[in-house]
Amino acid sequence: MGKRVLVTGGAGFIGSHLCRYLLAKGHEVLCLDNFFTGRKSNIDELVERHDFELIRHDITEPILLEVDWIYNLACPASPVHYQYNPVKTVKTNVMGVINMLGLAKRVKARILQASTSEVYGDPLVHPQTESYWGHVNPIGIRSCYDEGKRVAETLMMDYHRQNRVDIRIARIFNTYGPNMLVDDGRVVSNFIVQALRGEDLTIYGDGLQTRSFCYVDDLVAALYRLMESDHFAGPVNLGNPCEFTMLKLAELVLELTDSQSEITHLPLPEDDPIQRRPDISKAKSLLDWTPKVQLREGLQQAVNYFRQVLEG
Ligand code: NAD
Ligand code: UDP
């Protein structure tokens, strides 16, 4: 049967794809956003639908809604944006998560928290399994986000143990695709936008650091399966285990955009993780899920999207 689903951060990059996916599955969607990094244009064609509702709200303030499922995605995800107002980032991950858990408790909704691979910090274990506790700087410029998300996980666990709230925790690894902002600041959108504009591609550091990139459609399918899954089985890594250096990513973007842009090197930001790749054995067995879209194919979709946005 169709559920009433709250998607916080629903006008953002992942949230906007999730809203569409849920509607296609026959659910009713309440999309909540404060429009910090979210845009109405991401959900433009949904607002007229009878099964879609848009609520301008900040999750650091309480709200009461009758819902069955809550996807708590509200939180800026790009270092540029989460470091813009770090105290607000912490509030979103502490007060915001408490508010969403309070709502889940009151209306007996199932709640899924968007956590992150950043809970592993600059990992000393590679690839990262869910049992690894991480290597996180508690006082650095990334801490508002990394530690914020770690507290969010703690709150989820404590509401689960103390109040029997029905929870799911998704540890999301680097995800990319259409609906990212042109000025999002994350590496995939930066490189594509720079290549399309004929500007230098900005590699931070030597470019040998690695990330593993997941196409947004694969990620959204996993978020859905995790929410649907019968019982809470602890945090689950969601991502694509194909690992690339930033140099390789830059080369691929230059090839796919047919761009004459050059590569330039800028200083590596403080605490930037050296390597990251998810071990997704748990997601595979628990959710019968595996990512399908290869980087080249997904990047082509993202290139098409940004080309359209920049021309429009
Ligand atoms: P995004 O910045 O595009 O989306 C975040 C959305 O949340 C935006 O629409 C923003 O306006 C909204 N928001 C922020 N603070 C809010 C608040 N206090 N109240 C209400 N709305 C608020 O980022 P995204 O990439 O779509 O990420 C979505 C979620 O997934 C985030 O929680 C992020 O931490 C998590 N995540 C994303 C990635 C990734 O690679 N994209 C990786 C790990 C985790
Ligand atoms: N990065 C880069 N150039 C950019 C933006 C990012 O080389 O224009 C690097 C960044 O230093 C990091 C990697 O790309 O090593 C991924 O950065 P992003 O901000 O996308 O995600 P995160 O660091 O949070 O995984």
Side-chain angles (χ1 to χ4, degrees):
M1 218 186 64
K3 308 274 187 198
R4 273 171 71 84
V5 189
L6 173 64
V7 180
T8 77
F13 159 50
I14 297 176
S16 58
H17 289 273
L18 180 62
C19 287
R20 276 183 190 77
Y21 192 89
L22 290 163
L23 290 168
K25 290 275 183 190
H27 302 295
E28 199 181 322
V29 172
L30 279 72
C31 168
L32 182 155
D33 210 294
N34 71 352
F35 296 104
F36 175 45
T37 50
R39 292 290 173 268
K40 283 212 176 111
S41 55
N42 282 345
I43 43 163
D44 252 353
E45 84 279 7
L46 305 181
V47 289
E48 295 301 321
R49 291 179 63 132
H50 69 278
D51 47 2
F52 182 85
E53 201 175 320
L54 180 59
I55 306 164
R56 179 185 281 268
H57 181 80
D58 194 301
I59 61 161
T60 58
E61 301 293 335
I63 189 165
L64 184 62
L65 299 161
E66 288 296 331
V67 289
D68 304 304
W69 287 352
I70 302 168
Y71 282 94
N72 190 36
L73 270 55
C75 178
S78 163
V80 177
H81 295 295
Y82 70 64
Q83 286 163 17
Y84 171 75
N85 184 346
V87 173
K88 178 63 192 264
T89 301
V90 175
K91 281 186 184 171
T92 296
N93 283 304
V94 179
M95 286 143 74
V97 173
I98 289 175
N99 286 331
M100 290 305 110
L101 279 161
L103 172 64
K105 177 182 160 191
R106 191 149 164 198
V107 303
K108 296 193 169 23
R110 179 175 296 172
I111 178 168
L112 181 150
Q113 174 62 29
S115 184
T116 169
S117 50
E118 304 286 343
V119 299
Y120 302 122
D122 191 2
L124 304 177
V125 166
H126 194 75
Q128 293 80 53
T129 53
E130 290 86 352
S131 56
Y132 178 47
W133 287 359
H135 178 232
V136 178
N137 177 0
I139 56 169
I141 55 169
R142 293 175 80 98
S143 314
C144 59
Y145 185 76
D146 302 7
E147 295 288 21
K149 291 285 187 179
R150 286 167 69 97
V151 175
E153 288 199 10
T154 307
L155 285 165
M156 294 286 287
M157 292 303 299
D158 284 332
Y159 269 78
H160 177 61
R161 284 186 287 247
Q162 200 173 325
N163 302 107
R164 296 177 197 285
V165 174
D166 189 11
I167 63 164
R168 303 287 182 273
I169 299 174
R171 289 189 180 151
I172 304 169
F173 284 63
N174 298 61
T175 300
Y176 69 97
N179 294 4
M180 293 181 92
L181 294 176
V182 165
D183 63 353
D184 178 275
R186 281 175 279 185
V187 70
V188 173
S189 47
N190 270 10
F191 283 0
I192 294 177
V193 170
Q194 289 161 347
L196 292 176
R197 285 179 170 161
E199 297 167 357
D200 288 355
L201 270 60
T202 53
I203 290 191
Y204 301 160
D206 59 12
L208 296 178
Q209 71 271 37
T210 67
R211 294 292 186 274
S212 307
F213 297 102
C214 185
Y215 189 63
V216 65
D217 288 357
D218 281 332
L219 193 267
V220 163
L223 289 177
Y224 189 76
R225 286 193 185 197
L226 182 57
M227 183 66 106
E228 264 195 323
S229 63
D230 284 340
H231 57 272
F232 175 61
V236 183
N237 286 341
L238 299 180
N240 189 323
C242 290
E243 185 180 358
F244 295 85
T245 63
M246 295 312 106
L247 268 174
K248 181 71 201 165
L249 178 71
E251 282 166 15
L252 201 50
V253 168
L254 288 177
E255 181 198 323
L256 293 173
T257 50
D258 205 14
S259 169
Q260 301 306 309
S261 291
E262 311 255 321
I263 286 176
T264 183
H265 289 264
L266 296 177
L268 189 68
E270 205 180 296
D271 294 338
D272 201 281
I274 302 290
Q275 53 177 5
R276 193 147 70 206
R277 171 155 56 103
D279 180 319
I280 57 166
S281 318
K282 188 169 177 182
K284 277 184 177 163
S285 62
L286 187 74
L287 310 175
D288 189 23
W289 168 86
T290 180
K292 295 188 175 62
V293 183
Q294 296 307 310
L295 184 61
R296 173 178 286 274
E297 189 189 343
L299 278 182
Q300 189 61 63
Q301 297 297 324
V303 167
N304 296 346
Y305 170 78
F306 281 113
R307 213 185 274 282
Q308 230 182 349
V309 171
L310 294 179
E311 280 167 8

